[in-house]
Amino acid sequence: MGETKSPASFRFAGFTLDLSRAALLDGSGGEIALRPKSFDVLRHMVANSGRLVTREELLAAVWPGLFVADDSVTGCIAEIRRALQDDGRLLRTLPKRGYLLEAKVIQEQAAPEQAKASEEIPPLGRQAPGEAPAHPLPPVDRPSLVVLPFANLSGDPEQEYFADGMTEELTTALSRVRWFFVIARNSAFTYKGRPVDVRQIGRELGVGYALEGTVRKAGGRVRITVQLIETETGHHVWAERFEDTLEDIFALQDRVAEAVAGAVEPSLQAAEIGRSATKPTENLDAYDLYLRGLSRAYRMMREDSDAALSLFCQAIALDPNFALAKANSVAYRVVRKTQGWSGPDEWEEGAAWARELLGLDQDDPSVLRLAALAIAHLGHDYAAGVRAAERALRRNSGSAQVLLSCAWVYVYACQPEVAIPLFERAMRLSPHDPEIAFMLSGIAMAYLVAGDFEAALHWADRSVQRAPNWASGHRILVGALVLSGREAEAQEAAATMQSITSQERSLEDVIPPLRDKEIRVRYIAALRSAGVPG
């Protein structure tokens, strides 16, 4: 029997899905913009045309081993429909069942010269003198990655400098994020121009992740694509595309480097969570316990919340000097307090640990941002929180998570004019962040403190839609409705909140500890007038 060949492209409904170029083409051959994950969803749907595909199947196929929000699939489906100009009849949604692509699909094989070229790629392990190390390096004790030389797709050899410069900028930017290890530029460039599999690179450099990219310049514009790959399995963890004018090449490099640095951090963290979850509990060390705690923390359910805090504390018991685990433990107590799931003993311990962390000679922005959040919220020490937030921002203002925590500190300190730009920047850097609900409710609260109730309504509604179990978003929505004179809608929103969330503490306990007591009193009164208990 002959070997089955994988298709190079699919033709359906007047479109072509070109797998070799990872592009969706219209009838004239023009490329239709589509984000990488949306492309992967469409590819799976086309390959399974005429068959019901469940949401769970799409999650397993496109985000293997990762915990992602349910609306990730919904967002990709919506983008695909826009690209196909489909009104829902081509790519159908079957409520509570999944999705169905109703189209005749024609598979096309690669041209002979393409097949021959792929056969000429040298086998893994073949090296020339002066190239990458011949023997695999041992893995480091923290998440690690290499930024591979970006490919120049401009067709102009003179533009190689731009692609190389982008690689250097990203290597420098990512190396500032202290919680993971980045291979130096010189080692990465030994792979320039070589068709080497990322799994081989992972073995040779001892890294868990590879960041690949391409640069295309034409007509005064540049398009840059980046993708993060887990080297052990070859799975894609994160990808994004940037496009802009070329008015200032170096300024554009800086912007993309900052955006990628901010987006890669939570993506790496999510991938590490997925990897640790597959390990047997009895063999986990402190770092694995910490990651397992993170994986439970994002689920916003009481049972998971209790488990997350327990896992953080177990990690700290194994290594009392594990500052990042202790910082996550104290900051997560803020979440639990906001949800009404904890009491004074837990808050006091969290505030004490936050003071301990801030008393250390500690310059890790990830620790600083969490300790700042906890000392302001649990300890009501706004000045200490702001000082720690300023230190964290000086160390890494390109991290969406640093921006998020520091923005909340400024909300507590009643400085919405500082908080709002930080929230906006965090959402630009990481629009699919696992903590997106905290960003949305945070900017809503900042606008409420500022007295802009319409803006608060807009962002609170988005928070509720993205994370219906996050009580803070519901409360801000109710409060903003009351304060804008929409009492009937506020009562409906309050009833909805009570049907979804549970609150075991009084409003005095769960409402953010705002420095301006008058704003806080007015907010609590608004909630009570709408029927929120407590």
Side-chain angles (χ1 to χ4, degrees):
M1 295 178 63
E3 183 180 354
T4 302
K5 296 182 178 179
S6 300
S9 63
F10 293 103
R11 288 197 294 119
F12 69 101
F15 298 92
T16 299
L17 200 65
D18 189 332
L19 305 186
S20 62
R21 292 170 52 190
L24 174 64
L25 310 177
D26 61 22
S28 62
E31 184 173 342
I32 302 172
L34 209 58
R35 290 181 300 142
K37 287 299 183 187
S38 296
F39 179 89
D40 292 342
V41 169
L42 179 57
R43 174 177 180 167
H44 192 83
M45 294 302 306
V46 169
N48 293 277
S49 179
R51 180 177 72 81
L52 174 70
V53 176
T54 66
R55 179 182 293 266
E56 290 71 23
E57 179 181 334
L58 282 173
L59 288 170
V62 180
W63 293 271
L66 297 183
F67 174 75
V68 296
D70 287 343
D71 59 1
S72 297
V73 172
T74 305
C76 288
I77 293 292
E79 183 181 359
I80 291 167
R81 286 191 176 125
R82 288 193 297 270
L84 302 178
Q85 298 183 347
D86 174 37
D87 60 2
R89 285 181 285 187
L90 176 61
L91 179 52
R92 296 175 53 201
T93 298
L94 304 180
K96 299 184 179 181
R97 296 176 62 197
Y99 304 96
L100 176 65
L101 180 70
E102 293 192 316
K104 180 180 179 181
V105 176
I106 299 175
Q107 298 185 11
E108 297 179 333
Q109 304 299 326
E113 59 271 19
Q114 289 178 306
K116 184 176 185 297
S118 65
E119 291 168 1
E120 292 174 352
I121 295 176
L124 297 181
R126 182 183 299 174
Q127 294 174 298
E131 293 186 335
H135 301 288
L137 299 175
V140 295
D141 59 356
R142 51 188 163 139
S144 55
L145 80 156
V146 58
V147 182
L148 296 174
F150 276 34
N152 170 28
L153 302 183
S154 304
D156 180 4
E158 296 275 326
Q159 301 300 331
E160 284 292 322
Y161 79 94
F162 184 78
D164 292 348
M166 183 56 59
T167 307
E168 293 195 42
E169 288 289 336
L170 290 176
T171 300
T172 301
L174 291 170
S175 62
R176 295 193 188 104
V177 182
R178 291 188 169 189
W179 75 274
F180 58 87
F181 177 84
V182 182
I183 292 293
R185 178 257 190 212
N186 289 345
S187 295
F189 268 73
T190 61
Y191 294 95
K192 184 175 174 64
R194 297 174 55 202
V196 183
D197 188 278
V198 292
R199 285 167 287 198
Q200 178 185 353
I201 294 172
R203 292 192 297 270
E204 292 175 346
L205 295 180
V207 294
Y209 303 91
L211 190 73
E212 295 181 333
T214 64
V215 178
R216 184 190 298 273
K217 294 175 62 180
R221 296 188 67 83
V222 60
R223 174 183 292 174
I224 299 167
T225 63
V226 289
Q227 57 182 354
L228 184 69
I229 302 171
E230 185 181 9
T231 59
E232 184 178 346
T233 64
H235 288 156
H236 287 67
V237 175
W238 174 88
E240 191 57 86
R241 174 186 294 174
F242 304 86
E243 188 168 355
D244 208 340
T245 62
L246 275 172
E247 296 175 353
D248 189 332
I249 287 176
F250 299 108
L252 176 60
Q253 285 183 338
D254 289 342
R255 290 200 302 274
V256 175
E258 182 181 68
V260 172
V264 163
E265 183 183 356
S267 297
L268 271 176
Q269 189 177 74
E272 284 295 300
I273 289 169
R275 287 162 59 87
S276 72
T278 64
K279 298 178 182 179
T281 303
E282 60 270 19
N283 295 327
L284 293 176
D285 57 14
Y287 185 64
D288 289 311
L289 286 164
Y290 157 70
L291 291 173
R292 288 171 65 85
L294 287 180
S295 71
R296 302 293 291 270
Y298 288 135
R299 296 175 189 174
M300 285 298 167
M301 302 298 290
R302 177 62 187 271
E303 180 181 353
D304 291 302
S305 173
D306 293 341
L309 188 63
S310 174
L311 288 162
F312 289 145
C313 291
Q314 290 176 55
I316 296 164
L318 283 181
D319 183 0
N321 297 318
F322 192 173
L324 190 56
K326 186 168 288 187
N328 272 275
S329 172
V330 301
Y332 193 55
R333 294 162 199 249
V334 173
V335 175
R336 288 170 56 79
K337 184 174 183 290
T338 302
Q339 291 288 85
W341 293 340
S342 60
D345 290 345
E346 186 177 305
W347 311 337
E348 290 170 9
E349 182 179 57
W353 283 5
R355 291 190 192 94
E356 176 189 322
L357 288 167
L358 293 177
L360 301 174
D361 184 16
Q362 178 61 255
D363 276 331
D364 185 339
S366 297
V367 173
L368 285 171
R369 62 114 178 175
L370 295 169
L373 182 75
I375 199 65
H377 191 123
L378 302 177
H380 299 182
D381 191 338
Y382 308 105
V386 167
R387 286 195 300 270
E390 289 173 346
R391 287 170 61 194
L393 290 168
R394 283 196 299 270
R395 297 298 300 171
N396 190 0
S397 62
S399 164
Q401 293 175 310
V402 168
L403 292 165
L404 166 62
S405 297
C406 294
W408 265 110
V409 171
Y410 286 109
V411 169
Y412 303 148
C414 290
Q415 298 181 40
E417 71 284 357
V418 181
I420 290 168
L422 297 179
F423 282 124
E424 290 174 339
R425 193 172 175 203
M427 289 186 285
R428 284 198 302 270
L429 286 173
S430 190
H432 305 297
D433 198 289
E435 297 183 357
I436 189 66
F438 303 155
M439 298 179 187
L440 295 170
S441 62
I443 195 170
M445 191 68 201
Y447 275 114
L448 189 145
V449 170
D452 187 342
F453 304 129
E454 287 302 318
L457 278 172
H458 167 76
W459 291 107
D461 184 62
R462 289 188 61 184
S463 174
V464 168
Q465 295 299 321
R466 292 295 296 269
N469 292 330
W470 177 228
S472 179
H474 285 279
R475 285 194 290 263
I476 298 167
L477 178 62
V478 173
L481 285 167
V482 172
L483 293 169
S484 59
R486 296 153 72 171
E487 288 81 1
E489 293 176 64
Q491 291 172 6
E492 291 180 9
T496 299
M497 180 186 75
Q498 292 175 61
S499 70
I500 296 175
T501 64
S502 61
Q503 180 179 308
E504 301 170 11
R505 308 290 306 189
S506 70
L507 285 175
E508 292 285 351
D509 287 338
V510 299
I511 294 301
L514 302 176
R515 171 179 270 172
D516 189 323
K517 300 295 192 296
E518 291 185 8
I519 295 176
R520 191 170 189 271
V521 168
R522 188 162 60 246
Y523 179 35
I524 292 174
L527 293 174
R528 286 176 174 155
S529 72
V532 177

